Amino acid sequence: MNLVEVKSLSKRFGNEQAVDGISFELAEGSATALIGPNGAGKTTTLSMLAGLLEATDGEIQRKKNLTIGFLPQYPRFFPWLSALEFTEMAAKLSGVDAKKARQQSERTLGFVGLHQVAHKKIGGFSGGMKQRLGLAQAIVHQPSVLLLDEPISSLDPTGRREVMELLKSLLGQTTVLYSTHILNDAEEMTDQLLFLKNGRLVEQGSLSQVRRRYEDPHIRVRFENTDAAEWFVREAPWPTSVKGTAAVIPVKAEGPAIQDVFRFLSVKSLPVIGVEHETASLEDIFLKVVAGK
């Protein structure tokens, strides 16, 4: 069942077309990644879905009694409030009964790992703690749909991993739409990919569907240095290209099996690090679809 249906949605700011006629659906319990470079229209799209911006054209159809949680890319806090006071305020503003707001806030802060600092002032929080608090205010009212604008882009690798695990634990009970430029995140947690470019939706589908459309199977031979990779390209009996210290062999109908590559390498004294069978990564697809490379 679809909780949200977006139809021909557009947004203009003066003469600038920020979002241009995009359409997609958000199924109940699904995770959707909104991918695109800076200026593609991701934040504008999320802001319209959250009700913070009015669309110029098109429509957003929401299931009756739908509740939405929103975490902006740069959330703002009141440094003089404690984490609990801030989360409780957000709960009440989101319609949680005053008698339940404190209990739900305490439970939510525990879920995001801030229970030990619930009574500390936000002004002393680190960036990672503030991002967790931002997530807490977005989910404290138990929304049907959670909208996240670059939820982990400002975190270090450890913080990204921790917040990703939190988000994955929400899947199934909450429908999630998040924008990101960290493609590993999209590969890890998504049912649907939406690629935006210049405000237009230029590709969409599940990860497997998109990969099939841009499938580019190849064998990558990684060497210790560029000289070895270039020698391999000159001498190998298959069409091969160099990417840094790696040689890339397209696997077409006439291409080699990985065993053929191993046999060729076995009689050569080359400084090989590894041989891998690969297909198009999400980064490769992003470059083709969004960056036009």
Side-chain angles (χ1 to χ4, degrees), residues 173-221:
Q173 55 187 324
T174 305
T175 300
V176 179
L177 171 63
Y178 65 102
S179 68
T180 185
H181 65 272
I182 303 175
L183 300 180
N184 288 340
D185 299 339
E187 288 189 291
E188 185 174 339
M189 189 188 82
T190 188
D191 298 301
Q192 178 181 212
L193 297 170
L194 303 174
F195 290 83
L196 277 180
K197 179 181 181 181
N198 297 328
R200 295 184 177 183
L201 194 57
V202 293
E203 183 60 88
Q204 66 186 112
S206 69
L207 182 58
S208 60
Q209 288 171 336
V210 173
R211 272 189 167 146
R212 280 197 297 272
R213 286 197 283 270
Y214 295 89
E215 190 173 23
D216 181 25
H218 57 269
I219 296 171
R220 184 182 299 272
V221 186

Side-chain angles (χ1 to χ4, degrees), residues 248-260:
V248 179
I249 310 167
V251 179
K252 306 296 182 183
E254 70 281 3
I258 198 166
Q259 294 88 345
D260 299 325

Side-chain angles (χ1 to χ4, degrees), residues 135-154:
L135 179 60
Q137 66 80 28
I139 64 174
V140 67
H141 58 299
Q142 301 174 341
S144 309
V145 175
L146 181 59
L147 306 175
L148 308 169
D149 193 0
E150 300 280 1
I152 61 176
S153 61
S154 62

Side-chain angles (χ1 to χ4, degrees), residues 27-95:
E28 185 174 10
S30 65
T32 298
L34 189 60
I35 301 172
N38 291 336
K42 303 188 298 296
T43 295
T44 301
T45 298
L46 289 171
S47 297
M48 286 190 286
L49 287 169
L52 301 177
L53 281 179
E54 184 177 350
T56 304
D57 295 298
E59 60 180 322
I60 302 171
Q61 296 181 349
R62 302 177 179 88
K63 184 183 175 184
K64 188 177 180 180
N65 299 323
L66 187 77
T67 54
I68 292 177
F70 180 50
L71 174 60
Q73 185 175 4
Y74 303 108
R76 295 181 178 273
F77 304 95
F78 302 112
W80 57 88
L81 294 180
S82 71
L84 181 57
E85 289 170 335
F86 180 81
T87 309
E88 187 175 0
M89 178 186 68
K92 293 176 181 177
L93 289 173
S94 299

